[in-house]
Amino acid sequence: MFSWFGKVSFVPYTKVSDFAVHLKDGRLMGSVCQKCGYKTFPPRADCPECLSGEFSFREISGRGTVYTWTRIDAAPTGFEDAVPYTIAVVDLEEGGRLLCWFGDTISREEIAIDMPVQVVPRVFEEEEEIRVYYSVERPGTSWGKAPAPHLG
Ligand SMILES: [Zn+2]
C-alpha cells in the first residue's frame, strides 16, 4: 500500500542531505540556527523556534545516557536473523534522542537506565544508498572518522 514510502524523494536535494555525507565520514552532525542559536539533532534546515532557514552543521560527541531499553525476541520482518537483540533510546548530552542497538562493548548484564554511553554511527557499506544505524557503546569508545569534514 505504502510501498513507495521512504523510497521516492520528491525533491532531488534537501538542505540537510549533507548529513548523510558526514555520517559516511563517521561524524554525527546536528544543526545550529544562525539566527537564534537553537540546536537540534538530527539536523533541521528550518528552525523550530524562529523559523529561520539559515543553519550550519555542528558535530556532536554522541555521549549520552540510556533513557530506556528492551530486548527483542520476536523480531519484525527483515530482522528475524538478528534475534535476540537489545535496543535503547539514548538521551544525547547535547540534546536530542536516538534509537540505537547495543554494541559489543556493553554486556547485557550491565545495561541500566541512566547509564552513560557513547553512540557510534554505523554505516552499511555494502548498500549503495546510505543506510545507517547507531550502536550504544561504553563511554570512551572511539571509531573511524575521515580526517576532516569536507562539507560545511
Ligand atoms: Zn532559530
Side-chain angles (χ1 to χ4, degrees):
M1 183 181 200
F2 294 110
S3 61
W4 51 268
F5 188 78
K7 294 179 181 173
V8 176
S9 178
F10 295 97
V11 289
Y13 184 85
T14 76
K15 289 192 282 185
V16 293
S17 59
D18 286 345
F19 178 56
V21 178
H22 288 299
L23 280 174
K24 281 189 172 175
D25 285 348
R27 296 176 196 285
L28 290 166
M29 303 298 275
S31 62
V32 57
C33 173
Q34 294 302 290
K35 195 172 172 191
C36 76
Y38 189 85
K39 294 172 181 165
T40 63
F41 183 88
R44 293 177 66 162
D46 299 309
C47 179
E49 276 298 302
C50 73
L51 305 180
S52 168
E54 299 297 314
F55 76 99
S56 63
F57 284 105
R58 67 180 176 118
E59 184 172 0
I60 65 162
S61 68
R63 287 189 300 270
T65 54
V66 172
Y67 173 75
T68 189
W69 65 276
T70 190
R71 184 180 127 148
I72 306 292
D73 288 295
T77 303
F79 293 88
E80 298 90 342
D81 294 341
V83 291
Y85 57 91
T86 307
I87 58 174
V89 175
V90 171
D91 276 334
L92 295 168
E93 192 177 283
E94 291 141 305
R97 228 171 226 180
L98 272 180
L99 180 65
C100 312
W101 292 47
F102 270 94
D104 296 332
T105 60
I106 299 172
S107 69
R108 302 301 166 257
E109 295 73 33
E110 291 178 84
I111 296 171
I113 287 173
D114 288 335
M115 73 183 291
V117 293
Q118 173 67 53
V119 171
V120 175
R122 309 283 186 191
V123 175
F124 293 93
E125 294 289 353
E126 70 274 14
E127 303 278 342
E128 190 173 323
E129 66 186 50
I130 187 161
R131 294 183 67 188
V132 67
Y133 71 98
Y134 303 101
S135 74
V136 182
E137 309 291 349
R138 190 173 297 286
T141 298
S142 60
W143 66 97
K145 289 186 190 182
H150 55 270
L151 293 169

